[in-house]
Amino acid sequence: MPSSNENTALVPNGAREAYNGQDIDASKRHDGNTEMHQTEGGFLKPLIFGGLDGILTSFAIVAGAAGGKMPASVVLVLGFSNIFADALAMGVGEFLSSKAENEWILSERKRENWEMENYPEGEIREMIDIYVERGMSLEDATVVIQTMAKYKDFFVDIMMTEELGLQVPEEDHRAESMKEGVVMFCAFASFGALPILGYVIIPALFPNVGSDVLFTAACIITGYYTNFDYRIFYSAANWFKCGMETLLLGGSCATVAYTVGQFVDAHVVQTSSS
């Protein structure tokens, strides 16, 4: 029967597990096998950004309403209308910004391609200088760059990365931008609805509960989901640190919203009514 280390080397993602366990022998045994990569990381930014922004935005509405002593009906109207309008705006904004960035990168690639066609010696020399600055000898850098320069499209992509620090998008970049916008919309709307759903579900089950109980439930839901950070699945970040970062962010937003709600209720609403 193979040992646990051998099993680590034989699983489809054994190389990653070998790295996580700092198991050199398992890494060597896995060399040459097919490795599964976490391709979902491309949507990590809109997922985290949309989810956190959505849940914190809706909780800020709840906290402000609680500070201003508004009824639950006001929280529901303001909350759901604001969440879905903001989700649409965030989704469209993510799509347009991603699409614009990709189009700009492709325009820069056209310029680099033109320079390579009309003055290849200068581009090759620039790349050699970059590799030399990074510690490669002049002779080795010259051999490497001149070899890559034989393959123009490949070399232009390398130039984009090494000279400009830009990753050339895929040909279907518009579809990818659309997917990012959809992920942003769904994350914002779904997570944003969570604190407000308590104002729907709890009164349906317990009709006599007060607004303080509803606000407490919203705090618990927000605290739980802000600690549930998707970064721990896609990086080596410490789960406790990630959770504390988002919890502190959520607490800050809630404090500001609640304080402003109290201030407006005390100095504007009550003054106007009196």
Side-chain angles (χ1 to χ4, degrees):
M1 179 179 295
S3 64
S4 59
N5 287 341
E6 290 174 344
N7 287 331
T8 302
L10 295 175
V11 295
N13 206 18
R16 185 179 299 277
E17 293 189 14
Y19 168 74
N20 292 336
Q22 298 294 294
D23 191 335
I24 298 176
D25 292 335
S27 179
K28 291 178 179 179
R29 287 193 296 272
H30 188 271
D31 185 33
N33 294 340
T34 302
E35 179 182 359
M36 296 173 61
H37 292 275
Q38 291 174 317
T39 56
E40 297 87 350
F43 298 117
L44 183 60
K45 176 179 173 290
L47 178 63
I48 294 295
F49 183 31
L52 283 180
D53 198 17
I55 196 170
L56 294 180
T57 297
S58 65
F59 185 61
I61 295 173
V62 172
K69 300 177 182 178
M70 295 181 180
S73 59
V74 174
V75 176
L76 291 174
V77 172
L78 292 179
F80 281 114
S81 60
N82 183 76
I83 287 303
F84 284 97
D86 281 356
L88 180 60
M90 293 289 288
V92 173
E94 178 68 21
F95 165 68
L96 293 177
S97 62
S98 177
K99 176 173 168 288
E101 182 182 18
N102 289 334
E103 290 174 347
W104 171 70
I105 293 174
L106 291 176
S107 69
E108 289 295 302
R109 190 187 187 283
K110 288 181 179 179
R111 180 179 61 82
E112 290 289 339
N113 188 66
W114 180 85
E115 291 177 353
M116 184 63 185
E117 289 180 348
N118 292 275
Y119 188 37
E121 298 83 4
E123 297 300 315
I124 291 174
R125 186 165 56 249
E126 287 181 8
M127 290 292 291
I128 291 174
D129 291 341
I130 291 174
Y131 277 47
V132 170
E133 289 178 0
R134 295 188 177 183
M136 191 176 288
S137 67
L138 178 60
E139 293 77 11
D140 290 343
T142 302
V143 172
V144 170
I145 297 302
Q146 287 182 345
T147 301
M148 289 192 296
K150 296 177 181 178
Y151 310 93
K152 192 183 72 170
D153 289 339
F154 169 74
F155 187 62
V156 171
D157 289 343
I158 296 296
M159 288 165 53
M160 290 289 295
T161 302
E162 300 294 344
E163 288 187 26
L164 305 179
L166 299 175
Q167 184 68 37
V168 178
E170 301 292 336
E171 294 182 359
D172 60 342
H173 67 89
R174 288 182 177 83
E176 291 298 313
S177 298
M178 177 65 73
K179 292 178 183 178
E180 291 177 7
V182 171
V183 170
M184 175 69 78
F185 171 82
C186 293
F188 192 103
S190 58
F191 280 85
L194 292 174
I196 306 174
L197 284 177
Y199 282 75
V200 177
I201 298 174
I202 295 178
L205 298 176
F206 308 98
N208 297 323
V209 297
S211 58
D212 292 341
V213 176
L214 297 178
F215 179 60
T216 302
C219 292
I220 295 173
I221 293 172
T222 304
Y224 175 79
Y225 280 98
T226 51
N227 272 286
F228 184 71
D229 198 324
Y230 279 95
R231 285 177 293 174
I232 63 177
F233 295 106
Y234 298 99
S235 69
N238 182 272
W239 68 270
F240 181 79
K241 181 180 179 181
C242 291
M244 289 305 298
E245 287 176 352
T246 50
L247 183 61
L248 289 174
L249 175 61
S252 300
C253 294
T255 301
V256 171
Y258 189 87
T259 303
V260 171
Q262 279 189 323
F263 178 83
V264 172
D265 180 64
H267 296 84
V268 178
V269 177
Q270 294 183 10
T271 303
S272 300
S273 61
S274 62

